Amino acid sequence: MTTTKHDLLIKNGKLVDPSQKLHALRDIAFADGKVAAIEQDIPSDSALETIDAKGQIVTPGLIDLHVHAFWGSSAYGVLPDPVNVAKGVTTILDAGSSGARTFPGFRHYVIDQAVTRTFALLNISSAGMISESHVGELEDLRWAEVDKAITVARQNRDVVPGIKVRLGKLQSGENTVESLKRAIEAAEAIDGFVMSHIGACPVPIEELVAMMRPGDVVTHAFHGIGDRIANLDGVLPGILEARERGVLFDVGHGMGGFSFDTAERALAAGFVPDSISTDLHIFNVEGPVYDLVTTLSKFIHLGMSLDDVIERSTISAAKIMGLKGGYGTLAVGAIGDAAILTLDEGRFTLNDRLSQALNIGGMTWQKPTAVEATRKLNHVSTVIGGQVYRPWLGHRP
Ligand SMILES: [Zn+2]
């Protein structure tokens, strides 16, 4: 007779955990909110609840390195739980929806309430992203309050790993270089990293990445507007040099921050993303992004393996964020977060962009592209803190 020692057991699933180079049929058990055991056969009577994941994939809880979750304050915000933990994403990084003057509300009303484990990059503009670039948050540098950002980030360092800056004609305009300088200054003071949105920029992208430090992140790296990371000859020398120095390149799909054409060029040159994120917000959650598993499916369509895309949305993202305590891994003792997924076969239309507009602020966009994929990752259920996420039962871990 076995004694009941686990809260939850997932049997017969294919465990895909790049942190342990694991891709095999295994049973996995959870107890006290943590991963308790991974074995070939764990008896069902050892757990209070058993799930059969035959034919399904079990991964660490997914981490989305770029989302917008400050609903009600930022024009971009969506509530975190319905689009993240409900879709297999147990940890998110909000990328600059709030700044020093709005962060306390974000912490109180969202971060401290959400089931999804929510972290935030503080926008170097202390207003955060209150408008959809109707007025750029850095068009007036009085908003780029370095001292305020440092103070608020230090007070909330447990959930603030760094600083966000949006560099673009509509966000920073003539203040682009100075905005990046100030973001780096604040990040240095808190020993954090900078994530830069670089798109439709008045300053050449190579000039901006040259200012960035090892561990800093370029998001929307595969966008298709104006100055791109790759031209017909391949990836730009300044981009390769930055990667060599340790600057990181994130997807940040967004409404217009991802282009199949750019991604194909980059991947053909062996330039794969360091992390795969959605930039999920109110203007793309109903398409073309939908969720993280759809974004991962686009990179599977482009030729990356299942293990490679899962790595970039689990352990790689955890490392970029500097998360300690077992995020992005199913190692025994890690936090008990997992996603149960299927890799389905069929015909699936995947879009990089829905808008037909080819011009924004005088810069030319790539035409929107739809591809017919033959495989797509889909979400089945989520485990968070060692429990199946069941919002219909009033789930609070
Ligand atoms: Zn964003």
Side-chain angles (χ1 to χ4, degrees), residues 65 161 192-196 212-218 242-243 245-249 319-322:
L65 197 74
F193 68 96
V194 169
M195 178 186 278
S196 299
M212 295 174 70
R213 310 161 307 156
D216 288 343
V217 178
V218 174
R243 166 163 277 186
R245 282 191 303 113
V247 175
L248 302 165
F249 292 83
K319 282 183 185 161
I320 293 169
M321 288 170 70

Side-chain angles (χ1 to χ4, degrees), residues 78-269:
V78 291
L79 291 172
D81 293 340
V83 291
N84 292 292
V85 65
K87 302 282 201 88
V89 178
T90 51
T91 300
I92 56 172
L93 182 61
D94 180 278
S97 302
S98 66
R101 290 176 188 269
T102 58
F103 180 82
F106 187 43
R107 172 129 209 184
H108 183 82
Y109 294 110
V110 180
I111 294 177
D112 292 347
Q113 306 295 326
V115 173
T116 309
R117 302 179 198 275
T118 304
F119 296 81
L121 296 174
L122 205 61
N123 202 308
I124 191 60
S125 165
S126 51
M129 292 162 60
I130 52 172
S131 101
E132 66 284 22
S133 305
H134 164 62
V135 179
E137 66 269 19
L138 291 163
E139 281 187 77
D140 183 337
L141 272 178
R142 286 178 297 177
W143 288 118
E145 300 174 279
V146 175
D147 290 346
K148 264 202 161 42
I150 293 170
T151 302
V152 173
R154 278 191 180 140
Q155 285 165 346
N156 296 279
R157 196 63 177 84
D158 57 328
V159 292
V160 176
I163 303 292
K164 174 78 187 294
V165 62
R166 293 203 301 168
L167 306 173
K169 202 169 176 177
L170 301 176
Q171 293 83 18
S172 54
E174 290 174 357
N175 301 323
T176 293
V177 168
E178 180 61 22
S179 297
L180 178 55
K181 272 189 196 156
R182 292 193 190 188
I184 291 170
E185 190 186 337
E188 248 162 23
I190 63 159
D191 193 24
F193 68 96
V194 169
M195 178 186 278
S196 299
H197 153 131
I198 300 183
C201 236
V203 180
I205 189 169
E206 289 175 287
E207 205 174 298
L208 296 170
V209 296
M211 292 169 64
M212 295 174 70
R213 310 161 307 156
D216 288 343
V217 178
V218 174
T219 192
H220 312 309
F222 300 86
H223 74 74
I225 179 167
D227 196 13
R228 299 195 266 163
I229 61 164
N231 58 27
L232 288 172
D233 299 327
V235 177
L236 306 181
I239 299 297
L240 295 172
E241 186 275 335
R243 166 163 277 186
E244 192 68 27
R245 282 191 303 113
V247 175
L248 302 165
F249 292 83
D250 171 58
V251 173
H253 187 306
M255 183 175 56
F258 172 75
S259 149
F260 276 115
D261 186 67
T262 305
E264 274 167 21
R265 285 183 192 183
L267 266 59

Side-chain angles (χ1 to χ4, degrees), residues 66-68 76 95 129 164 166 197 219-220 252 254 279-281:
H66 184 162
V67 302
H68 293 282
Y76 292 86
M129 292 162 60
K164 174 78 187 294
R166 293 203 301 168
H197 153 131
T219 192
H220 312 309
D279 186 20
L280 200 64
H281 59 60

